[in-house]
Amino acid sequence: MRKLYVIGIGAGDPDQVTVQAIKAMRQVEVFFVIGKGAEKQELLDVRTAILSEHLDRPYQIVEIPDPPRDRTPADYQGVVEDWHDRRSALLRAAFDEIEGVGGLLVWGDPSLYDSTLRMVERVLAGGAVFDYEVIPGVTSVQALAARHRVVLHRIGEPVHITTGRRLREEGLGSAAVVMLDGECSFTEVPGADIHIWWGAYLGMPDEVLIEGPLRAVEQEIVDVRARLRAEKGWIMDVYQLRRG
């Protein structure tokens, strides 16, 4: 493989794919997809729909099985590093099998809570030789704000983006956008003056939005989230919390 495109494809809506991303996809001969198992076949289907929407020529998709990892480890950093190493080894083996131009389609943007670029750097550090280019994409954070028609910060405020684990450990300041929260950590945030804007499957046909005072809607979100995950076998959601 002589070149790799790492392409942000947005939160799931084919219309969120940028013109730059479409131009990059049209250069790619083989698309690599890290598979999540049969229960998440829909994630592959969404990628395929995006390619079908924007490409009018044959292309190849190579699915790479995602190695398992402990989701509740005592040594979080160490477990994730090991997972990245194993993922990188699988990518290196797949890259070595092709000539020409490859592509990785990344949910949202490769810069935000995504490990793809770290794995590509590991592959290069291991001796592989190829050029690569990163194409930015619309993030679920941007999609959440747009769908709820909100600004993520008050005048002069910073934007704080964190994870559910860090929210549980550090608490909530004035506001935060929370990603990767499988534990519904918002239920552990104390206070009666907090508002939440929550969204799941943003940009997809099954998109669900809930907003309101946290204490009034938190159980609804917990129940809806559990039902959706049980029905589909997977869920991707994100939310913003704000005091006052």
Side-chain angles (χ1 to χ4, degrees):
M1 186 176 68
R2 68 176 184 271
K3 184 164 185 175
L4 176 71
Y5 285 98
V6 182
I7 306 170
I9 57 172
D13 185 345
D15 289 342
Q16 291 177 350
V17 178
T18 67
V19 174
Q20 185 184 22
I22 294 169
K23 289 180 178 179
M25 287 190 292
R26 289 174 177 170
Q27 303 301 312
V28 174
E29 297 161 292
V30 179
F31 292 93
F32 302 98
V33 176
I34 298 179
K36 299 288 187 177
E39 67 179 9
K40 297 182 181 179
Q41 176 64 31
E42 187 175 1
L43 294 173
L44 178 59
D45 293 342
V46 172
R47 288 185 175 95
T48 302
I50 288 173
L51 292 174
S52 298
E53 177 83 12
H54 298 297
L55 299 185
D56 57 1
R57 60 165 179 78
Y59 54 83
Q60 182 182 357
I61 295 179
V62 173
E63 188 170 358
I64 301 169
D66 193 21
R69 70 178 176 96
D70 185 357
R71 295 290 172 174
T72 57
D75 178 16
Y76 179 81
Q77 186 74 26
V79 167
V80 172
E81 290 285 346
D82 174 69
W83 180 50
H84 286 176
D85 284 340
R86 287 182 288 132
R87 270 185 154 197
S88 301
L90 293 172
L91 282 178
R92 171 66 189 270
F95 291 168
D96 285 347
E97 290 296 316
I98 76 158
E99 297 180 0
V101 181
L104 287 164
L105 303 181
V106 177
W107 290 111
D109 184 88
S111 70
L112 186 61
Y113 287 115
D114 185 84
S115 60
T116 303
L117 294 181
R118 295 188 183 96
M119 292 187 294
V120 171
E121 288 295 332
R122 277 174 163 80
V123 172
L124 290 169
V129 179
F130 56 84
D131 185 23
Y132 76 101
E133 186 173 340
V134 179
I135 310 298
V138 175
T139 69
S140 62
V141 175
Q142 295 165 289
L144 178 78
R147 296 297 290 129
H148 281 292
R149 299 177 296 183
V150 297
V151 179
L152 295 176
H153 58 87
R154 295 189 179 103
I155 296 173
E157 278 188 344
V159 176
H160 181 53
I161 302 175
T162 189
T163 65
R165 181 173 63 89
R166 297 295 292 267
L167 180 67
R168 294 193 303 274
E169 293 174 355
E170 301 171 2
L172 175 68
S174 62
V177 176
V178 184
M179 305 177 69
L180 306 176
D181 184 12
E183 306 297 326
C184 294
S185 302
F186 51 83
T187 61
E188 301 181 27
V189 177
D193 64 338
I194 303 170
H195 203 90
I196 186 169
W197 295 265
W198 177 84
Y201 311 117
L202 291 165
M204 300 182 190
D206 297 329
E207 177 182 277
V208 180
L209 302 171
I210 298 174
E211 68 94 11
L214 177 59
R215 300 285 84 95
V217 300
E218 61 183 340
Q219 190 58 51
E220 179 187 2
I221 295 173
V222 171
D223 293 343
V224 168
R225 190 184 191 281
R227 175 177 58 80
L228 292 172
R229 194 181 192 288
E231 290 174 355
K232 295 174 73 68
W234 62 277
I235 190 166
M236 291 195 295
D237 61 336
V238 61
Y239 59 90
Q240 183 187 33
L241 297 175
R242 178 175 295 284
R243 293 192 186 277

